[in-house]
Amino acid sequence: MTRPPTAAQRRVIEAADPVTGRLRGTETQLAELVKRGLAFRHPRPPHDHFLTPAGHRIREAVPEAPAPPAPDDAGVFAARVGGEEEPPASGPARRREVHSAWQGLLELRRMTNPDGAEDRPCGWERTHLVRAAALALEAAGQRPAGGDADGYRVRATPQPEAVAVYAPDPETLAACAATLEGAGWQTGEYTEPRTRARYLLASPRRV
């Protein structure tokens, strides 16, 4: 059985960039995380180190209190999934945060997809489906539901590698589908049997 990371290694993991998973630490600490399969060294200069999916799982298990559905860690940027009880204030600062997070995700795609593709979701997105889809929508300017405004809502589903996206009208649903497809997701439109509500089922594209 793999030994848990030391306190010093856990601090390095906790301090990783929340979007890209980029690590900062001593060469010895980073090498040990690589050896344990919790990090990898990027082959291209400047050869930074990044968390693997296993490293991300340890990082997200750090908070003692259970997190609400699909947020980032407390105090860290979280994309709007729609319907939050206390949504962040909108405005230029929020738009800058979203833009920065989206650019960070594109960089993560470039560095972690085997072919360096930015137009296709990466491993981090496949393990954070709701957050990844929500970031793509918010970064494209789609309006999330919240307060008195109606808009998209991204929710987890029982299906592997798929999220459900709801919208208040067919036009908004179509716009969300176009946004996600442009961000490297594949979508299909379905109807809930009981409510008859239309929704998108979206999955990260593999090729």
Side-chain angles (χ1 to χ4, degrees):
M1 185 174 179
T2 305
R3 290 180 294 114
T6 65
Q9 291 166 351
R10 186 173 289 277
R11 284 194 295 272
V12 173
I13 292 171
E14 289 178 38
D17 185 281
V19 175
T20 65
R22 183 175 293 174
L23 293 161
R24 292 288 181 268
T26 67
E27 285 300 320
T28 301
Q29 289 170 331
L30 297 174
E32 187 63 25
L33 290 175
V34 170
K35 183 178 177 181
R36 293 175 179 231
L38 301 176
F40 68 93
R41 183 175 183 267
H42 197 272
R44 295 199 211 51
H47 303 297
D48 285 331
H49 288 73
F50 297 84
L51 289 176
T52 63
H56 274 291
R57 285 194 293 272
I58 287 179
R59 182 182 186 277
E60 290 167 2
V62 167
E64 294 180 2
D72 284 284
D73 294 335
V76 176
F77 171 85
R80 291 285 310 277
V81 300
E84 293 90 345
E85 291 185 4
E86 297 182 6
S90 59
R94 177 64 185 180
R95 289 193 290 272
R96 286 194 297 270
E97 281 187 325
V98 172
H99 176 76
S100 177
W102 178 247
Q103 292 303 311
L105 184 56
L106 292 180
E107 177 69 4
L108 184 61
R109 288 180 176 187
R110 185 184 71 80
M111 291 185 295
T112 60
N113 279 332
D115 56 358
E118 293 183 6
D119 62 350
R120 190 175 67 252
C122 61
W124 182 89
E125 291 169 271
R126 297 179 192 283
T127 58
H128 302 80
L129 294 169
V130 173
R131 288 155 58 180
L135 178 56
L137 291 171
E138 190 176 1
Q142 300 296 340
R143 186 175 66 180
D148 296 331
D150 208 351
Y152 70 77
R153 297 170 186 263
V154 184
R155 298 294 182 263
T157 74
Q159 302 191 39
E161 289 207 355
V163 295
V165 180
Y166 299 87
D169 53 66
E171 293 75 19
T172 304
L173 197 65
C176 288
T179 293
L180 288 170
E181 288 167 6
W185 296 63
Q186 53 191 18
T187 68
E189 194 170 324
Y190 298 87
T191 302
E192 287 191 342
R194 282 183 284 183
T195 65
R196 308 307 299 168
R198 299 289 288 172
Y199 69 97
L200 299 175
L201 197 64
S203 302
R205 183 166 53 83
R206 288 193 173 277
V207 293

